[in-house]
Short mmCIF file of all heavy atoms in Angstrom, two decimals:
data_model
loop_
_atom_site.label_atom_id
_atom_site.label_comp_id
_atom_site.label_asym_id
_atom_site.label_seq_id
_atom_site.Cartn_x
_atom_site.Cartn_y
_atom_site.Cartn_z
N GLN P 9 -28.96 5.90 -9.58
CA GLN P 9 -27.72 5.07 -9.65
C GLN P 9 -26.67 5.93 -10.43
O GLN P 9 -25.50 6.04 -9.96
CB GLN P 9 -28.08 3.86 -10.36
CG GLN P 9 -28.86 2.76 -9.55
CD GLN P 9 -28.00 2.38 -8.27
OE1 GLN P 9 -26.81 2.11 -8.39
NE2 GLN P 9 -28.76 2.36 -7.21
N PRO P 10 -26.97 6.52 -11.56
CA PRO P 10 -25.89 7.30 -12.34
C PRO P 10 -25.43 8.44 -11.47
O PRO P 10 -24.16 8.74 -11.47
CB PRO P 10 -26.65 7.86 -13.60
CG PRO P 10 -27.75 6.85 -13.74
CD PRO P 10 -28.20 6.35 -12.47
N ILE P 11 -26.22 9.16 -10.73
CA ILE P 11 -25.74 10.31 -9.85
C ILE P 11 -24.83 9.85 -8.76
O ILE P 11 -23.94 10.45 -8.39
CB ILE P 11 -26.91 11.27 -9.46
CG1 ILE P 11 -26.30 12.68 -9.10
CG2 ILE P 11 -27.62 10.72 -8.26
CD1 ILE P 11 -25.65 13.30 -10.21
N LEU P 12 -25.20 8.65 -8.16
CA LEU P 12 -24.40 8.04 -7.17
C LEU P 12 -23.01 7.74 -7.69
O LEU P 12 -22.06 8.09 -7.12
CB LEU P 12 -25.06 6.74 -6.60
CG LEU P 12 -24.21 6.01 -5.57
CD1 LEU P 12 -23.98 6.86 -4.31
CD2 LEU P 12 -24.91 4.65 -5.21
N VAL P 13 -22.96 7.14 -8.91
CA VAL P 13 -21.68 6.88 -9.54
C VAL P 13 -20.90 8.15 -9.79
O VAL P 13 -19.68 8.29 -9.47
CB VAL P 13 -21.90 6.05 -10.84
CG1 VAL P 13 -20.62 6.02 -11.73
CG2 VAL P 13 -22.36 4.75 -10.55
N ALA P 14 -21.56 9.17 -10.31
CA ALA P 14 -20.93 10.38 -10.53
C ALA P 14 -20.32 11.08 -9.27
O ALA P 14 -19.18 11.55 -9.31
CB ALA P 14 -21.93 11.42 -11.16
N ILE P 15 -21.11 11.11 -8.20
CA ILE P 15 -20.62 11.57 -6.97
C ILE P 15 -19.39 10.82 -6.39
O ILE P 15 -18.34 11.44 -5.93
CB ILE P 15 -21.78 11.69 -5.95
CG1 ILE P 15 -22.78 12.75 -6.28
CG2 ILE P 15 -21.28 11.91 -4.46
CD1 ILE P 15 -24.09 12.72 -5.40
N VAL P 16 -19.54 9.53 -6.29
CA VAL P 16 -18.43 8.76 -5.80
C VAL P 16 -17.20 8.88 -6.68
O VAL P 16 -16.01 8.86 -6.09
CB VAL P 16 -18.88 7.23 -5.61
CG1 VAL P 16 -17.68 6.46 -5.22
CG2 VAL P 16 -19.99 7.10 -4.68
N LEU P 17 -17.36 8.95 -7.93
CA LEU P 17 -16.18 9.17 -8.84
C LEU P 17 -15.49 10.46 -8.62
O LEU P 17 -14.23 10.56 -8.52
CB LEU P 17 -16.53 8.94 -10.26
CG LEU P 17 -16.85 7.52 -10.80
CD1 LEU P 17 -17.14 7.50 -12.23
CD2 LEU P 17 -15.76 6.58 -10.43
N GLN P 18 -16.26 11.42 -8.24
CA GLN P 18 -15.69 12.82 -7.93
C GLN P 18 -14.88 12.73 -6.62
O GLN P 18 -13.88 13.28 -6.38
CB GLN P 18 -16.78 13.86 -7.96
CG GLN P 18 -17.41 14.21 -9.26
CD GLN P 18 -16.33 14.70 -10.30
OE1 GLN P 18 -15.42 15.45 -9.99
NE2 GLN P 18 -16.61 14.36 -11.55
N LEU P 19 -15.58 11.93 -5.62
CA LEU P 19 -14.94 11.81 -4.28
C LEU P 19 -13.65 11.06 -4.49
O LEU P 19 -12.60 11.27 -3.80
CB LEU P 19 -15.87 11.15 -3.50
CG LEU P 19 -17.10 11.91 -2.91
CD1 LEU P 19 -18.03 11.00 -2.13
CD2 LEU P 19 -16.74 13.17 -2.19
N SER P 20 -13.57 10.08 -5.43
CA SER P 20 -12.43 9.23 -5.55
C SER P 20 -11.28 10.11 -6.23
O SER P 20 -10.12 9.78 -5.90
CB SER P 20 -12.67 8.02 -6.61
OG SER P 20 -12.85 8.42 -7.89
N GLN P 21 -11.62 11.13 -6.89
CA GLN P 21 -10.59 11.96 -7.44
C GLN P 21 -10.04 12.88 -6.26
O GLN P 21 -8.76 12.97 -6.13
CB GLN P 21 -11.18 12.93 -8.52
CG GLN P 21 -10.20 13.85 -9.15
CD GLN P 21 -10.78 14.78 -10.15
OE1 GLN P 21 -11.18 15.89 -9.70
NE2 GLN P 21 -10.93 14.44 -11.42
N GLN P 22 -10.81 13.53 -5.44
CA GLN P 22 -10.31 14.45 -4.57
C GLN P 22 -9.91 13.87 -3.22
O GLN P 22 -8.92 14.34 -2.64
CB GLN P 22 -11.43 15.53 -4.30
CG GLN P 22 -11.70 16.40 -5.43
CD GLN P 22 -10.54 17.18 -5.96
OE1 GLN P 22 -9.69 17.64 -5.13
NE2 GLN P 22 -10.37 17.32 -7.22
N LEU P 23 -10.58 12.76 -2.82
CA LEU P 23 -10.19 12.12 -1.47
C LEU P 23 -9.09 11.06 -1.71
O LEU P 23 -8.88 10.27 -0.79
CB LEU P 23 -11.45 11.56 -0.80
CG LEU P 23 -12.56 12.52 -0.45
CD1 LEU P 23 -13.65 11.79 0.34
CD2 LEU P 23 -12.05 13.68 0.34
N SER P 24 -8.58 10.97 -2.85
CA SER P 24 -7.45 10.04 -3.12
C SER P 24 -6.22 10.45 -2.44
O SER P 24 -5.25 9.67 -2.26
CB SER P 24 -7.28 9.96 -4.66
OG SER P 24 -6.78 11.24 -5.13
N GLY P 25 -6.13 11.77 -2.09
CA GLY P 25 -4.85 12.29 -1.48
C GLY P 25 -4.12 13.14 -2.41
O GLY P 25 -3.02 13.62 -2.08
N ILE P 26 -4.48 13.29 -3.67
CA ILE P 26 -3.73 13.94 -4.65
C ILE P 26 -3.51 15.41 -4.27
O ILE P 26 -2.36 15.96 -4.58
CB ILE P 26 -4.32 13.83 -6.08
CG1 ILE P 26 -3.31 14.30 -7.22
CG2 ILE P 26 -5.62 14.57 -6.23
CD1 ILE P 26 -2.03 13.46 -7.24
N ASN P 27 -4.52 16.11 -3.82
CA ASN P 27 -4.41 17.56 -3.45
C ASN P 27 -3.51 17.70 -2.19
O ASN P 27 -3.01 18.73 -1.97
CB ASN P 27 -5.78 18.13 -3.38
CG ASN P 27 -6.20 18.65 -4.68
OD1 ASN P 27 -5.53 18.65 -5.64
ND2 ASN P 27 -7.50 19.11 -4.81
N ALA P 28 -3.48 16.69 -1.43
CA ALA P 28 -2.52 16.67 -0.17
C ALA P 28 -1.12 16.80 -0.79
O ALA P 28 -0.24 17.53 -0.33
CB ALA P 28 -2.66 15.49 0.68
N ILE P 29 -0.88 16.13 -1.91
CA ILE P 29 0.38 16.17 -2.59
C ILE P 29 0.76 17.48 -3.16
O ILE P 29 1.76 18.13 -2.93
CB ILE P 29 0.52 15.05 -3.67
CG1 ILE P 29 0.43 13.68 -3.13
CG2 ILE P 29 1.82 15.26 -4.48
CD1 ILE P 29 1.46 13.16 -2.19
N PHE P 30 -0.26 18.12 -3.95
CA PHE P 30 -0.02 19.35 -4.57
C PHE P 30 -0.06 20.53 -3.65
O PHE P 30 0.68 21.60 -3.87
CB PHE P 30 -1.07 19.50 -5.73
CG PHE P 30 -0.77 18.72 -6.87
CD1 PHE P 30 -1.59 17.73 -7.30
CD2 PHE P 30 0.34 18.79 -7.58
CE1 PHE P 30 -1.37 16.84 -8.34
CE2 PHE P 30 0.70 18.04 -8.69
CZ PHE P 30 -0.23 17.05 -9.09
N TYR P 31 -0.94 20.45 -2.57
CA TYR P 31 -0.90 21.61 -1.67
C TYR P 31 0.25 21.55 -0.66
O TYR P 31 0.80 22.62 -0.23
CB TYR P 31 -2.23 21.62 -0.86
CG TYR P 31 -3.48 22.01 -1.69
CD1 TYR P 31 -4.66 21.47 -1.43
CD2 TYR P 31 -3.31 23.03 -2.62
CE1 TYR P 31 -5.73 21.79 -2.14
CE2 TYR P 31 -4.50 23.30 -3.40
CZ TYR P 31 -5.71 22.70 -3.07
OH TYR P 31 -6.74 23.17 -3.81
N TYR P 32 0.67 20.40 -0.26
CA TYR P 32 1.61 20.27 0.82
C TYR P 32 2.83 19.35 0.50
O TYR P 32 3.54 18.91 1.46
CB TYR P 32 0.94 19.65 2.07
CG TYR P 32 -0.26 20.39 2.58
CD1 TYR P 32 -1.63 19.99 2.40
CD2 TYR P 32 -0.06 21.60 3.20
CE1 TYR P 32 -2.66 20.77 2.85
CE2 TYR P 32 -1.09 22.45 3.75
CZ TYR P 32 -2.41 21.92 3.56
OH TYR P 32 -3.44 22.62 4.07
N SER P 33 3.13 19.18 -0.84
CA SER P 33 4.15 18.18 -1.22
C SER P 33 5.55 18.67 -0.63
O SER P 33 6.37 17.80 -0.23
CB SER P 33 4.25 18.09 -2.63
OG SER P 33 4.51 19.32 -3.31
N THR P 34 5.78 19.94 -0.59
CA THR P 34 7.07 20.43 -0.03
C THR P 34 7.33 20.03 1.39
O THR P 34 8.43 19.49 1.74
CB THR P 34 7.26 21.94 -0.34
OG1 THR P 34 7.14 22.31 -1.67
CG2 THR P 34 8.64 22.35 0.26
N ASP P 35 6.28 20.17 2.17
CA ASP P 35 6.25 19.79 3.59
C ASP P 35 6.40 18.26 3.64
O ASP P 35 7.05 17.77 4.58
CB ASP P 35 5.00 20.23 4.23
CG ASP P 35 5.04 20.18 5.78
OD1 ASP P 35 6.13 20.54 6.38
OD2 ASP P 35 4.06 19.72 6.35
N ILE P 36 5.68 17.55 2.87
CA ILE P 36 5.67 16.09 2.91
C ILE P 36 7.08 15.52 2.61
O ILE P 36 7.58 14.70 3.23
CB ILE P 36 4.68 15.48 1.95
CG1 ILE P 36 3.24 15.78 2.39
CG2 ILE P 36 4.85 13.88 1.80
CD1 ILE P 36 2.13 15.37 1.31
N PHE P 37 7.71 16.11 1.52
CA PHE P 37 9.02 15.71 1.14
C PHE P 37 10.07 16.04 2.32
O PHE P 37 10.96 15.28 2.55
CB PHE P 37 9.50 16.37 -0.12
CG PHE P 37 8.88 15.71 -1.44
CD1 PHE P 37 8.18 16.48 -2.33
CD2 PHE P 37 9.12 14.36 -1.61
CE1 PHE P 37 7.66 15.84 -3.41
CE2 PHE P 37 8.51 13.78 -2.71
CZ PHE P 37 7.89 14.52 -3.70
N SER P 38 9.91 17.20 3.03
CA SER P 38 10.71 17.54 4.09
C SER P 38 10.71 16.51 5.21
O SER P 38 11.63 16.07 5.72
CB SER P 38 10.41 18.94 4.58
OG SER P 38 10.62 19.88 3.67
N LYS P 39 9.43 16.17 5.54
CA LYS P 39 9.19 15.12 6.63
C LYS P 39 9.81 13.67 6.15
O LYS P 39 10.06 12.95 7.11
CB LYS P 39 7.74 15.10 7.02
CG LYS P 39 7.24 16.28 7.73
CD LYS P 39 5.80 16.26 8.04
CE LYS P 39 5.19 17.56 8.70
NZ LYS P 39 3.81 17.39 9.02
N ALA P 40 9.79 13.53 4.88
CA ALA P 40 10.28 12.19 4.38
C ALA P 40 11.78 12.19 4.29
O ALA P 40 12.32 11.19 3.95
CB ALA P 40 9.62 11.89 3.06
N GLY P 41 12.43 13.28 4.71
CA GLY P 41 13.96 13.31 4.62
C GLY P 41 14.56 13.67 3.40
O GLY P 41 15.77 13.50 3.23
N VAL P 42 13.77 14.23 2.45
CA VAL P 42 14.36 14.57 1.16
C VAL P 42 15.20 15.93 1.42
O VAL P 42 14.59 16.92 1.97
CB VAL P 42 13.22 14.78 0.07
CG1 VAL P 42 13.94 15.30 -1.27
CG2 VAL P 42 12.54 13.52 -0.12
N GLU P 43 16.41 15.96 0.92
CA GLU P 43 17.28 17.16 1.20
C GLU P 43 16.74 18.40 0.49
O GLU P 43 16.88 19.52 1.03
CB GLU P 43 18.74 16.76 0.84
CG GLU P 43 19.39 15.75 1.71
CD GLU P 43 20.72 15.48 1.42
OE1 GLU P 43 21.36 16.19 0.48
OE2 GLU P 43 21.43 14.57 2.02
#
């Protein structure tokens, strides 16, 4: 049970979409119409 919690919490960090923001934020903002 503890290792299941540990794994899912790590997944919640990375699969939250935060690295999509940091790796591709400039492209995302461009598509969103930010000048």
Side-chain angles (χ1 to χ4, degrees):
Q9 289 295 316
I11 200 61
L12 174 64
V13 168
I15 289 172
V16 173
L17 289 182
Q18 294 298 327
L19 291 175
S20 74
Q21 184 187 85
Q22 293 300 322
L23 299 185
S24 65
I26 191 65
N27 273 350
I29 299 293
F30 285 116
Y31 288 145
Y32 300 108
S33 59
T34 302
D35 191 45
I36 292 170
F37 282 126
S38 296
K39 290 178 179 177
V42 178
E43 293 184 4

